[in-house]
Structures are given as C-alpha cells and as structure tokens.
Amino acid sequence: MKGLLSIAQRFTMKTRMALVLGMALSLSAPNASAQSLKDRFKKVAVKVGKQAKETVVQEVKTTAKPAAKTGKKPSAPRGAKSGGSTVNIPSNHGTLFAPLGTPVDAKKGRTAASVSKPPKEEGKQPDWNDARPSVDDLDNKSLVAEFELLENCVVSRYVSPSGPIAVRFGIVSDELSARVRALDRYAELLNDLPDTYDDEDVDQSMIDNANRTFASCLKSKGYQIVVRSSIALIIEMKGCMLNARTVDYFKKHGYANAHKQLTQWDPDKK
C-alpha cells in the first residue's frame, strides 16, 4: 500500500488525486493481488509521466526565446532606468511580500483545527464532514494534515472512494492545489524580476508591466490566504507538489516564519 501511495505522490495535485481514487477503486475489485495492482499503477504512472514530459517539451519549444546577444554590456544597477510609472521591488526584500488589493475575509486561512480519523460507516460520514471547518478557513498546517489523513483513508480502503469522505478529500485537494499554485506563481514572477530590471534591451514600459503582473499575483485569493500562516508544511509535506524552482527559492531565503515578516511594497506608490 505504501508503494502505491508513493507512486501517486510523484505527480501534481489533480493527477495525484485521480491516481489515489483510481487505486482505491481498483483495490476494491475482487481477485486483485497487491503485486498486480502495484504493477498496474506503475504502468499508469509511467504513462502519465511520459505525457507530462511531452507537454513540458512542447511548451519549452513554443516559448523558447531567441539566443542571447553576445558581447552584452554590463547590466545597469536595478532601478537605474527613469521615467517609469511604477516602483521596483526593493533589493533587500524578505521571503514573502504583503498582499495587495482588497483583502479576503479576515477568517480565511487562519483556523488551526486538529483532525481525527473519520468514521468508517458511510451513514456517519456526512455529519463528520459538516463538523469540519470550511477548507479555505484552515491554516496551512491544518489543511495539509487533513489532506494527508484523508488521502491515506481513501488509498487504504478505509473509506469508499465514492463516498462522503472522498468528496471532502476532493474539496481539500482543490484548496491545497490553489495555495500551491499561488506560491509557484509568486516564486516564478519574483525570480524573473531582477533579470527584467537588468536587461538593457527591456524598456521601462516592459518593467512597469512586469511590476504590475507581480502585483496582480499578490492580489490573488490564493496568495492572500496562503501567506496568513506558515508555509513550512506545504514545502515539507511528503510528495511536495511545489515546483522545484519554488522550493529552491524558499529554501534559499528561509520560510519557517516568513509569513510574520512580510515586505511592504506597492508598484504604484512612490
């Protein structure tokens, strides 16, 4: 069983959830041996991996930039260009930036809630679901804990993959996926900004656009919620779903208490 779960943990959230539910359904079939099922899911995992690889290769070919010019002059210091309508991010910024825009509901992403194993009887599961907090109210630690518990319940056949607990598992998965996407997008845009500032071929209007694009990320619901509590459990969870570049960024800059030291910045406030 652990081997099957480890296969699912190698993929993105939606693929991982599909594999988990598929595993549980197949495991409930009669006359299915553990080894044959493990081999079957390995084949599924390999097929999904190949498809993902082909997609990535195609995207790289589509979005590849022309080769960089040779003999490039030394880059100008950040912020040296003038006449822009936005403010660049500070060079000494912290790991996370403070959200921008209209704040989401103040209770979202702040609820610390322990989670116990749900009842095995389907008739009792709706009441268990109803007693749980709304998934977007949960802090990151509580959300990851519930995701891992319910994932194990489904994979181990403790609950039906089509019952009330599986429905709750899908909702928890969607919320965790939204927070993962928010962190991936944040790190991607932030990592690219310094190169944009220093590129002599980029004019100020393009820099303004890059600054505002990053600002739009800070306004998203997913980002506003995920930075309200420690992001450590999302980074450290088994089968981490963040992009490798995102994880590298947070490991380099520190993340344990990053949510308590948010950098204040607004591209439109000089």
Side-chain angles (χ1 to χ4, degrees), residues 136-152:
D136 56 359
D137 286 350
L138 294 172
D139 63 16
N140 296 324
K141 181 179 180 180
S142 301
L143 183 65
V144 170
E146 183 168 344
F147 172 84
E148 292 180 333
L149 173 65
L150 297 186
E151 182 179 50
N152 184 64

Side-chain angles (χ1 to χ4, degrees), residues 1-2 4-5 19-38 40-41 117-122 125 148-163 165-166 169:
M1 185 60 62
K2 291 182 179 179
L4 298 180
L5 184 55
L19 286 173
V20 165
L21 294 177
M23 288 173 191
L25 284 168
S26 295
L27 285 170
S28 63
N31 302 321
S33 70
Q35 185 59 45
S36 65
L37 286 170
K38 185 172 181 180
R40 188 184 313 168
F41 288 117
K117 199 170 185 178
K120 187 176 180 64
E121 299 84 356
E122 284 198 17
Q125 292 174 7
E148 292 180 333
L149 173 65
L150 297 186
E151 182 179 50
N152 184 64
C153 286
V154 172
V155 172
S156 66
R157 291 181 296 163
Y158 174 77
V159 298
S160 167
S162 58
I165 296 303
F169 173 53

